[in-house]
Amino acid sequence: MKDIEHRVPPGQTLTQGFPVLHYGSVPYYSDLSKWDFRLFGLVEEEVTLSYDQFMELPRKQFTNDIHCVTTWSKLDNEWEGIAVSEVLKRVKLKPEAQYVMLHAEHGWTTNLPLDDFMRDTSFFGLKHNGQPLTPDHGYPVRAVVPHLYFWKSAKWVRGIEFMEKDKPGFWERNGYHMYGDPFKEQRYDFD
Ligand SMILES: Nc1nc2c(c(=O)[nH]1)N[C@H]1C(S)=C(S)[C@@H](COP(=O)(O)O)O[C@H]1N2
Ligand SMILES: [Mo]
């Protein structure tokens, strides 16, 4: 493991807490039988997983550092989650697929390259530091892509759209960087 100094990107400050940041309201789920997860776009056949089907996917433990564009970083997070590869096994991607758009509740979106999403450090998080995700941190499922700024880690994620070309998601349309590498300080679109 890298020493602390190399784990904290430029311009970031460590926090022991777990700040909550999002646009809009926290979704409330009264009936998870209505929850589903869609794989669509450049796939041979679209797939929709039910809540039960999603929760039956094999889980793993992940440990990582997270870096928010608002300058806090939090080291040594322990997660239980589902590897992206486990979810992607359910579809056959068309060869043109190069980018993904993650779709979350209330139409919130974020974009990233397929290769970044498919790294074995990216996953769908279900528990953080031993506890089920709280509603404000993304219950029941959030994406976690720790090598990019944390806004790419969609809370309340409900689907993956596979795309040929990069397209801006919610914050990317509102001035944030298309890629968002914290070690290069790619915070805003002019960085
Ligand atoms: N659905 C959704 N996911 C989201 C956001 C959002 O507004 N909606 N905000 C992002 C931003 S800007 C950050 S920094 C992280 C914050 O996650 P946290 O509240 O668990 O710390 O969630 C990301 N995921
Ligand atoms: Mo953020």
Side-chain angles (χ1 to χ4, degrees), residues 21 68-70 151 176:
L21 278 137
C68 175
V69 70
T70 62
W151 89 77
Y176 281 14

Side-chain angles (χ1 to χ4, degrees), residues 114-134:
L114 180 61
D115 283 347
D116 289 80
F117 186 53
M118 286 178 34
R119 285 198 193 182
D120 54 18
T121 49
S122 306
F123 58 95
F124 291 95
L126 305 167
K127 291 187 179 178
H128 178 264
N129 290 350
Q131 301 299 322
L133 287 180
T134 56

Side-chain angles (χ1 to χ4, degrees), residues 19-191:
V20 170
L21 278 137
H22 51 260
Y23 178 83
S25 57
V26 174
Y28 172 70
Y29 297 95
S30 56
D31 183 2
L32 284 166
S33 70
K34 298 200 179 91
W35 187 97
D36 60 15
F37 193 91
R38 260 182 91 205
L39 300 154
F40 63 106
L42 294 174
V43 291
E44 295 299 341
E45 247 181 275
E46 259 191 51
V47 168
T48 302
L49 299 170
S50 69
Y51 181 76
D52 290 341
Q53 287 171 324
F54 196 91
M55 292 299 153
E56 278 161 13
L57 297 174
R59 299 186 186 186
K60 271 179 50 174
Q61 306 301 314
F62 297 84
T63 302
N64 60 26
D65 298 338
I66 55 184
H67 312 293
C68 175
V69 70
T70 62
T71 75
W72 57 268
S73 289
K74 181 173 175 59
L75 305 184
D76 300 318
N77 298 277
E78 307 220 344
W79 304 84
E80 182 174 301
I82 299 165
V84 169
S85 56
E86 289 293 346
V87 178
L88 295 202
K89 271 184 200 163
R90 270 67 196 170
V91 279
K92 191 167 188 307
L93 299 184
K94 293 196 175 164
E96 309 89 84
Q98 298 289 338
Y99 292 89
V100 295
M101 187 73 81
L102 302 181
H103 289 260
E105 296 294 345
H106 311 317
W108 192 91
T109 52
T110 190
N111 57 296
L112 63 157
L114 180 61
D115 283 347
D116 289 80
F117 186 53
M118 286 178 34
R119 285 198 193 182
D120 54 18
T121 49
S122 306
F123 58 95
F124 291 95
L126 305 167
K127 291 187 179 178
H128 178 264
N129 290 350
Q131 301 299 322
L133 287 180
T134 56
D136 50 5
H137 287 297
Y139 173 87
V141 184
R142 76 174 303 157
V144 181
V145 183
H147 69 285
L148 301 177
Y149 279 124
F150 206 37
W151 89 77
K152 300 281 183 183
S153 294
K155 303 195 274 192
W156 317 296
V157 64
R158 293 288 301 275
I160 312 165
E161 179 183 358
F162 298 90
M163 314 185 294
E164 181 174 357
K165 297 208 168 74
D166 203 7
K167 270 200 315 206
F170 177 80
W171 283 120
E172 295 83 1
R173 281 196 302 276
N174 288 283
Y176 281 14
H177 198 275
M178 286 294 268
Y179 184 65
D181 181 341
F183 288 91
K184 295 187 178 149
E185 283 206 85
Q186 295 173 337
R187 298 176 193 274
Y188 308 107
D189 56 6
F190 47 80
D191 286 330

